[in-house]
Amino acid sequence: MGKDLKGKELGEGLRQAKDERYIARFTNRFGKRVEIKGKDLKEVKTQFNKAIYEDKQKMNLVDDSTILDDWYEQWLSVHKYKVIRANTKRHYNTVYRKHISPTLGKRKLKDITQLQIKALINQLDKDGYKYETQNKVRILLLDMFNKAMIDNFVNKNPAKGIKLERDEKIDPKVLTPEEQAEFFECSKGTFYDNLFVVAVSTGLRPGELCALTWDDIDLDNMEINVDKTLLYQKLEGDEKKEFHVGPPKTKQSKRKVPITKQCKTALLKQKMQNNVIMSRAHVKAVKGLDNFLFTTKFGTPINSQIYCDAIEKIVDEINLCRDTLDEFERFSPHCLRHTFATRCFEADIQPKTVQKYLGHATLQMTMDLYTHVLEKHKTSEMSKLENALDGLLDVSDDVVEKRYDEYLSKETENDNVIYLKATNQ
C-alpha cells in the first residue's frame, strides 16, 4: 500500500513522490511495468484503474507506439521466415515500399483506420493501377494486421471487410501460361478435369458447354457443333429455378468449333466417365435432361454454381502450399473462355477467326473485349521484328567488317608493290 507525503494511505500501487506528483505502477500481462504520473490524484487513479481494466480485458497492446514500417520488417522477418521464397519476398518489398509505405508507413499501427486503407486503394485506382495491384495491397495489409492482432500490437484489423471488384468489361481475367499449367496439373484426375480441358480448348460459354450431348461431337471432322445452351433460371411459369435448354446467345453463336488433340482426349474420357455414372443404380436422370455429356456425380445437369465450386476446389488445393500474398487468384468459369481467346491471339490466329470460334456477333466485339491482349501481342510482335532487324544488322556489320578486311589487304598489297618498285629503282 502506498502513501502520500502526509502518510495517508493511497491504495495498492499508488504513492506520492517528493516532487508532490502521484505515481501509480503495475506490471501488465506482457510483463511490462506500466507507470502513470500526475499532480491530480483523481486523474491518476482514473487512468490507473482504466489501464488495469484494459489489461484484464486484454484490450491493451504490447507496444502502442509501433509504426507500420517497423511492423512490416518484424512481420517479414518473423512470420514469413522460411515461409516464402526469395522471389516472393522481393515482390512483397516492391508492393509495400512502392504502394503502402509512402502513405501509411509512418503511422502507428493502432491509429490506422479502414477509411485510410480504402483511401489508399482508391488513390491507386486513380493513379491507373489495376485490380491485381490494388488487391495485392489489400491482401498484404490484411495479413500484416492479422498477425499484429495475434501478437497484441492491435485490437482489430482495419483491412478486414474491404472488398474489391474486378471490372470485367475493362480487364477480363485471363490465366497466364504459368497459371494455366499449374491449374491443370492440380485438376488432373479430378471429376471435372475433362470439363475444364474442353472449356479452355474451345472457348465455349459455360451454358453452351453444359448443354453439349455426344451427338454434338463430330470426331470425324474434329469439330463441335454448338447450337444450344443450358440455363438454370426461374422463368415465367416456374415455381423455382429450373433447367431450360434454349438457343445460343446470338445467331452467330450457332457455330462449329474445332477440336484439338487435347480436347479430343478429354471428350473421349468424359464419354466413358458419363457412361459409368449413368449406369449406376442410384442415378435417376430427369426426362429431357438425361443426355448431357457433362453432369454431376449424380447424373444431374451442371449449373453455374456447381461449375464455380468445382474451380474453387482446385484453387483452394493450389493455395494450401502458398503464402497469403502469393495465392492463386479465384476465377469464374468465363475466365477459361477468355484464356482460350488469349492463347489464340498468342498463336497468331486472326481476330476474325477467333470471333467465329467465340461466336461473337461482330468482330468489333472481339476487338473491344481483347484490346489489352492485342496491344500486348503487338508489343511482343514488335520485339520479334527488332530481333529480326538486329539479325540483319549483325549480317550487315559482318559484311562491313569483311569488306574492310579486304580493303586493308588490298592497301597492304599496294603498299608492298610501291615499296618494291621504289627499291628496284
Side-chain angles (χ1 to χ4, degrees), residues 24 49 173 212 235 268 344 386:
N49 290 331
K173 168 65 179 174
L212 287 180
L235 302 181
L268 292 173
C344 285
E386 289 176 355

Side-chain angles (χ1 to χ4, degrees), residues 55-198:
D55 188 61
K56 288 182 178 179
Q57 298 298 317
K58 298 182 178 181
M59 297 167 60
N60 56 335
L61 306 173
V62 65
D63 185 355
D64 60 7
S65 65
T66 304
I67 63 173
L68 190 65
D69 277 349
D70 291 342
W71 174 243
Y72 172 75
E73 296 300 332
Q74 290 187 57
W75 170 81
L76 194 63
S77 62
V78 177
H79 289 288
K80 299 303 171 184
Y81 178 68
K82 287 189 175 180
V83 173
I84 59 175
R85 295 166 292 181
N87 188 52
T88 303
K89 184 177 180 180
R90 284 195 294 271
H91 184 56
Y92 281 18
N93 285 333
T94 299
V95 172
Y96 182 80
R97 290 167 183 165
K98 184 176 181 180
H99 301 302
I100 300 175
S101 180
T103 303
L104 300 177
K106 302 306 177 186
R107 294 181 183 272
K108 293 180 181 179
L109 280 178
K110 69 180 184 69
D111 294 334
I112 295 175
T113 65
Q114 188 175 92
L115 184 66
Q116 292 169 341
I117 295 175
K118 283 183 176 179
L120 168 61
I121 293 174
N122 289 343
Q123 188 58 51
L124 289 173
D125 185 66
K126 292 175 183 177
D127 291 342
Y129 290 100
K130 300 297 183 183
Y131 170 87
E132 284 78 8
T133 300
Q134 297 174 39
N135 197 44
K136 283 171 184 174
V137 167
R138 180 189 68 84
I139 293 173
L140 184 56
L141 287 171
L142 186 67
D143 192 71
M144 285 176 63
F145 277 102
N146 274 338
K147 298 302 187 294
M149 286 180 66
I150 293 172
D151 294 334
N152 295 296
F153 280 88
V154 292
N155 290 321
K156 60 183 180 180
N157 189 337
K160 188 176 181 180
I162 295 178
K163 295 182 179 180
L164 300 177
E165 291 186 7
R166 178 188 294 276
D167 191 341
E168 295 290 348
K169 292 182 180 178
I170 296 176
D171 189 16
K173 168 65 179 174
V174 172
L175 298 181
T176 65
E178 294 76 16
E179 289 173 334
Q180 185 175 337
E182 187 164 9
F183 178 85
F184 282 95
E185 180 62 29
C186 187
S187 74
K188 193 177 296 181
T190 61
F191 185 80
Y192 291 108
D193 182 47
N194 299 324
L195 176 72
F196 302 146
V197 172
V198 176

Side-chain angles (χ1 to χ4, degrees), residues 47 63 75 92 148 154 184 218 229 259-261 306 310 325 328 330 336 351 395 406:
Q47 294 298 322
D63 185 355
W75 170 81
Y92 281 18
V154 292
F184 282 95
D218 183 355
T229 188
I259 297 174
T260 63
K261 182 180 178 181
I306 293 172
L325 192 62
F328 198 105
R330 298 180 187 278
L336 296 177
V395 172
E406 291 175 352

